[in-house]
Amino acid sequence: MKLYLNDTSPFSRAVLATAYLCNAPLELEWVDPWQTPQALVTINPFSTIPVLETRDGIALTESSMICEFLLQAYPTKTLILTKANDAKRMSLLGTSKTLMEVAFRCAALSRFDAAQNVLTVRGKEGIRRSVQSLIEQLNNTHDLLQPDFSTLYLHVALDYVLFRHASLLSEGEVNTLSTALQNSPFKDTLATLNLDSLSNKPSYHELCL
């Protein structure tokens, strides 16, 4: 299978971490979707990442859906699939996914001098409120960081917020989130798949050594 990805995309990182934990056989194809490369457009007309091209040549194009495919195709005890009938965990997954999407959109819009765009302003307000709500849950719910997919997605989303939007948060909020991530069951995996290592565009084999 081939994964098309970018080194700073949180969606790519979530998929890569899932594949890594599932020990899925993979080949990495590093691309810049902003350049609309033909190889990417051929399998995904939207020129967005990540894209997983299966052994049968089928293109899977949405990060959480790709992760679900990997978790079902290569089940592992190190990463539990979030159960659809567990409302609390699904709520956390939904919050994490929305936080990642909004944080990414705000960062993307800033590339085009859209800092005061209404979507950017509303997005940043949402990031602040979401982080405050998550901190309250972290403080009051001792089992929030379970070894399931919702926690992995939360970890990647919060990492991205701290990477791109730390200026929106107070020092205390940054410290609280940083401490929580140190207690994450996926701390070691995401330390291996950190932004510095991904910036070198390594092969999958190099990451798995």
Side-chain angles (χ1 to χ4, degrees), residues 176-195:
T176 298
L177 295 184
S178 299
T179 299
L181 296 183
Q182 286 300 308
N183 295 323
S184 165
F186 304 110
K187 176 185 69 173
D188 293 340
T189 295
L190 291 172
T192 298
L193 307 178
N194 63 72
L195 293 177

Side-chain angles (χ1 to χ4, degrees), residues 35-57:
Q35 298 300 318
T36 320
Q38 188 59 48
L40 178 60
V41 173
T42 298
I43 63 168
N44 178 15
F46 295 105
S47 190
T48 57
I49 51 170
V51 181
L52 180 68
E53 186 176 14
T54 70
R55 290 172 174 171
D56 299 324

Side-chain angles (χ1 to χ4, degrees), residues 17-118:
T18 300
Y20 180 90
L21 288 164
C22 290
N23 197 29
L26 208 61
E27 176 187 349
L28 303 184
E29 185 73 26
W30 298 94
V31 294
D32 181 357
W34 295 98
Q35 298 300 318
T36 320
Q38 188 59 48
L40 178 60
V41 173
T42 298
I43 63 168
N44 178 15
F46 295 105
S47 190
T48 57
I49 51 170
V51 181
L52 180 68
E53 186 176 14
T54 70
R55 290 172 174 171
D56 299 324
I58 298 172
L60 307 180
T61 59
E62 198 278 327
S63 60
S64 60
M65 182 271 294
I66 296 173
C67 291
E68 183 174 350
F69 170 82
L70 290 170
L71 283 164
Q72 294 196 32
Y74 306 95
T76 175
K77 294 181 179 179
T78 58
L79 178 59
I80 302 168
L81 182 65
T82 301
K83 295 180 180 179
N85 63 353
D86 188 332
K88 288 184 178 180
R89 303 307 296 176
M90 290 300 288
S91 175
L92 179 64
L93 178 56
T95 296
S96 303
K97 189 173 188 303
T98 304
L99 176 61
M100 188 184 294
E101 290 173 345
V102 172
F104 179 81
R105 183 171 65 232
C106 288
L109 285 171
S110 68
R111 294 168 61 108
F112 304 101
D113 297 322
Q116 300 306 314
N117 181 288
V118 65

Side-chain angles (χ1 to χ4, degrees), residues 117-135:
N117 181 288
V118 65
L119 290 176
T120 306
V121 173
R122 286 176 58 83
K124 289 181 177 180
E125 291 172 350
I127 291 170
R128 293 190 190 97
R129 291 193 296 265
S130 176
V131 166
Q132 290 168 0
S133 175
L134 285 167
I135 286 176

